Amino acid sequence: MAHAIPWEDEPDREDAGGRVVLALVLGLALLAGGAYVAAYVAAGDKIPVGTRVAGIDIGGHQPTTAVEALREGLSSRADTPFTVTINGHTQQVRPAQVGLGVDYDASVRRAAAVRSWRPSHLWAYFTAGSTYQPVVTLDQTKLATLLQRLDAADGRLAKDGSVVFKGSTFVVRPPRPGLVLEPRSAGTAFWNAYLSDDPSVQLPLAATAPAIDAPAINRFVRSFANPAVTSSVQLRFGRATVRLAPADYTRLLGARRAGHELRPTVLAGALTALTDRRLAGDALDRPRDATVALVHGRPHVVKARPGLTFAPAAVAAALVQAIRSPDRTARVRSTVAPASFTTADARHLGIRHEVSSFAVHLPGGRAGPLLAAAQRLDGTVLRPGDTFSLRGALGAETPEDGPGAALATAVFNAAWLAGLPINAHVEGTSYAGTYPVGRDASLRDGQDLAFANRSRYGVLVSVAASQGRPLSVTLWSTPRWSVTSSHGARTNVVPAPRVVRHGKHCQRSAGRDGFDVTVTRSLTPVGSTAAETTTSYTAHYAPVSHVVCRR
C-alpha cells in the first residue's frame, strides 16, 4: 500500500543542503585565512624574495642577516685595488686610500623590508623582488690626499718664467706648463670603476699655465732688462752725482713676480754701500753727530748738525727710474734728519780732564807706519760700554814688529794708568829695558791690545806723534780712580846664555836675562774713602843670548 509523503517535509531537505554549503564556505574561508596568516608570518620584515644588491641575492633575509650576506658577497670586490694609469705609469691603489666604501646598512634599507598585513605587500614580497645598486660613500679628504700624492709622483708644478741678471747681461729662463690631476674627473673615474669586475682607472693630466708666461717675460725684457744693460746711468745726490755702469749694478738687480707680471728688484743695501763709497769726500751735508775733540789742548764739545739722508729704498727706486728714463738720469729723494748723537749726548759724556798719558820713543828709521796709525787713532771717542781694539781700529794698517810694539805699549800704559779694564795684552818676548818692567806690549803673532770703557763717562783718545819726537797717548774723561802701579821682584831668573861666534860678519850683542815679574795696579775711588781694589798679572820674559865675536 503506497504512502504519500507530506508536503511539509520538503523544506527540511533544503535546510540541510544550506548548512552543508555554509559549512563548505566557512571551511574555505578558514583555509584562506590560514594561508594568509601563513603568508604574513613567512614575509615578516624580511627582504622581498628575489631582491639583489650589486648582483648579491639578499631576498628572504631579515635586515641583519641581509647585511652580513651583502658584506660577504661584496667583500672581494669592495677591497679589490684599482689599477691606476697616469701618463703611462701604472700603480695599485686600494679603495680605502681613495676614500671609497660600501654602506651595507644603508644598502639593505634601500630594499624597503617592512612588516605589513596589506595584501599588496605580501604579494610584492613573493613576486616583486628588485635589483638595487649599493650605497657607496666617498671621503673627499682621503681622495684629496691621494690625488696630491699622485700629483707629486706623476704630475709636475707649473714653472714660472724668470729673468736672471749675471755679469753685465741677463739670462731668460723660459716658463714651463704644469701637469696636474683634475679632482672632479678623477673622483668620477674612481667612483665609476668601484665594485666593477675590472677596476681600472685612467687618470689624464691636465696642463696648467704658469703665472709668468712668455708674453710676461717679453714685456719685462723690453721695459727693463734690455734698458738696464744698455749704458751707464747717473744718480744725483743733492749737488753730487754718481755714475754707474751696467757692470756696477746689474749684479744687484732681480725680478719678482707680482700677479702675472715681473717687477724689477734691487739689493738696496748693497747699492747704497756702493754709492756711499763713490760719494766719499763729496760735500753732501749729511747729518753730523756731536763729538768731543781737543781744541787748543782742551776737550770741547763739537755740536751736532742735521743733514740730508738717502734711504736705501730711495736709492734703489732712483736706479730703476734712471734705467727707464730716456736720459738715464734720476735724482735720489732725500730727507732732512737730525744727528743720531746729539750735542746733549756729547756733553753727558763728561770728557773734561786728562786722566792718563804715556809716551814712547819712535823706533829709528821705521816711523812712517807708526805716524800714519797715530793719525788714525787720534780723536777716537769711546762711549760708555765701548771696547777699544788696536787691531780693530787700524785693520790692515796695523804696524808690526818694533813700530807696532811701540804703539801698543803707549796705548796699554795709558789705559792701565787710567784704571780701565784690560781685555787683551801680551808683553814682548824679552825685556829690553826701554819701558817699565812688565808694562811693555807686543802685537806679535797676531796678538791684539784691547781695553774697555765700563764707566758712565766717555773716553777721548788723543795721540800725538811727529818725526823726531816721542809718541804720546793721552786719555781724557772724568777722573774716577787714583791709580798706583808697581811691580814685584824678578823671579825664575834665567841668565843670558853666552854664545861665541867667529867670522868677520859676526855682530856682538848684549844678552838679556829671562825672568818673571808680577805687575800690580791699585785703584782708589776719587773723593771716596772706600778701600782700594787691586789687579795684577805676571809677565814672562825669555832670555836672549850674549853674543861674543872671535876673529
Side-chain angles (χ1 to χ4, degrees):
M1 179 173 179
H3 294 280
I5 297 175
W7 182 85
E8 289 83 359
D9 289 341
E10 295 297 327
D12 290 337
R13 286 198 294 270
E14 292 176 357
D15 289 342
R19 285 193 295 274
V20 171
V21 171
L22 178 60
L24 180 61
V25 171
L26 290 175
L28 292 173
L30 289 173
L31 181 61
Y36 189 76
V37 170
Y40 171 77
V41 172
D45 58 354
K46 298 176 183 177
I47 307 299
V49 174
T51 299
R52 290 177 175 273
V53 176
I56 306 301
D57 187 1
I58 62 172
H61 287 276
Q62 290 185 336
T64 54
T65 59
V67 168
E68 295 305 318
L70 181 60
R71 188 188 306 276
E72 182 178 355
L74 280 182
S75 61
S76 60
R77 280 188 285 164
D79 296 332
T80 300
F82 294 97
T83 300
V84 181
T85 303
I86 305 173
N87 199 23
H89 175 242
T90 301
Q91 59 182 300
Q92 299 291 312
V93 175
R94 299 190 308 276
Q97 294 175 287
V98 182
L100 285 168
V102 176
D103 188 335
Y104 294 100
D105 292 324
S107 298
V108 169
R109 286 196 300 271
R110 179 177 286 182
V114 294
R115 182 186 295 273
S116 175
W117 286 98
R118 288 184 299 157
S120 60
H121 170 74
L122 298 178
W123 178 260
Y125 172 77
F126 292 101
T127 64
S130 302
T131 299
Y132 297 93
Q133 294 298 322
V135 177
V136 177
T137 60
L138 176 62
D139 188 328
Q140 295 289 349
T141 301
K142 288 186 177 181
L143 176 62
T145 300
L146 172 66
L147 295 181
Q148 185 177 10
R149 179 175 66 81
L150 295 177
D151 258 337
D154 298 296
R156 72 184 186 199
L157 296 176
K159 182 179 179 182
D160 289 338
S162 62
V163 174
V164 178
F165 290 88
K166 290 185 176 181
S168 299
T169 184
F170 61 88
V171 176
V172 173
R173 294 179 178 172
R176 183 189 68 185
L179 295 174
V180 297
L181 294 171
E182 201 284 313
R184 186 183 298 275
S185 61
T188 301
F190 279 116
W191 183 279
N192 292 337
Y194 188 49
L195 301 179
S196 66
D197 294 332
D198 181 21
S200 298
V201 177
Q202 293 275 351
L203 297 181
L205 292 169
T208 59
I212 304 300
D213 54 15
I217 293 291
N218 292 335
R219 288 191 294 271
F220 181 79
V221 168
R222 288 195 307 269
S223 65
F224 185 78
N226 276 338
V229 300
T230 300
S231 61
S232 298
V233 299
Q234 294 185 93
L235 303 183
R236 294 179 177 171
F237 296 79
R239 296 189 299 270
T241 299
V242 173
R243 179 183 294 273
L244 299 174
D248 296 325
Y249 61 77
T250 48
R251 60 186 174 82
L252 308 178
L253 300 180
R256 65 174 177 84
R257 193 185 82 181
H260 292 279
E261 298 292 335
L262 285 178
R263 297 284 183 265
T265 62
V266 181
L267 296 178
L271 177 63
T272 301
L274 171 62
T275 55
D276 282 347
R277 290 194 297 271
R278 297 288 181 87
L279 290 168
D282 288 330
L284 288 179
D285 296 327
R286 293 185 183 275
R288 188 179 66 186
D289 286 344
T291 187
V292 178
L294 290 183
V295 179
H296 304 301
R298 299 295 301 172
H300 287 269
V301 171
V302 180
K303 294 182 178 180
R305 185 185 67 190
L308 300 180
T309 59
F310 303 91
V315 181
L319 175 61
V320 173
Q321 181 184 350
I323 290 172
R324 289 175 166 168
S325 175
D327 62 358
R328 314 288 292 173
T329 301
R331 181 171 294 279
V332 181
R333 183 173 58 86
S334 64
T335 57
V336 177
S340 59
F341 195 74
T342 67
T343 302
D345 293 332
R347 291 194 178 102
H348 289 156
L349 292 177
I351 300 175
R352 299 184 179 90
H353 304 282
E354 178 182 321
V355 293
S356 67
S357 184
F358 194 83
V360 298
H361 291 286
L362 299 181
R366 293 181 295 171
L370 186 55
L371 295 176
Q375 187 176 9
R376 288 193 59 183
L377 295 178
D378 185 40
T380 300
V381 174
L382 301 180
R383 299 175 186 177
D386 284 352
T387 295
F388 175 88
S389 161
L390 192 57
R391 287 192 178 273
L394 298 178
E397 298 181 11
T398 304
E400 303 291 342
D401 301 325
L407 179 61
T409 298
V411 173
F412 166 74
N413 278 274
W416 179 257
L417 297 176
L420 297 173
I422 306 299
N423 292 2
H425 164 242
V426 62
E427 67 276 2
T429 55
S430 63
Y431 181 61
T434 308
Y435 309 119
V437 63
R439 282 167 45 189
D440 57 337
S442 173
L443 299 178
R444 56 186 167 87
D445 301 325
Q447 298 288 342
D448 194 14
L449 185 282
F451 61 89
N453 177 22
R454 297 176 186 164
S455 73
R456 62 189 180 93
Y457 302 107
V459 175
L460 169 63
V461 180
S462 171
V463 183
S466 61
Q467 192 69 41
R469 300 185 64 181
L471 179 146
S472 65
V473 176
T474 304
L475 301 185
W476 303 78
S477 185
T478 292
R480 298 177 61 230
W481 308 105
S482 176
V483 180
T484 301
S485 180
S486 61
H487 62 273
R490 301 182 183 189
T491 61
N492 301 321
V493 177
V494 179
R498 186 173 183 272
V499 176
V500 178
R501 292 178 180 173
H502 300 272
K504 63 179 180 180
H505 298 295
C506 175
Q507 292 184 353
R508 179 182 179 278
S509 63
R512 302 172 190 166
D513 292 343
F515 61 91
D516 295 343
V517 64
T518 298
V519 180
T520 301
R521 180 175 65 179
S522 301
L523 304 179
T524 304
V526 173
S528 172
T529 58
E532 67 179 17
T533 59
T534 61
T535 58
S536 62
Y537 65 90
T538 299
H540 305 275
Y541 294 114
V544 176
S545 298
H546 172 61
V547 178
V548 177
C549 297
R550 298 293 188 212
R551 298 296 180 184

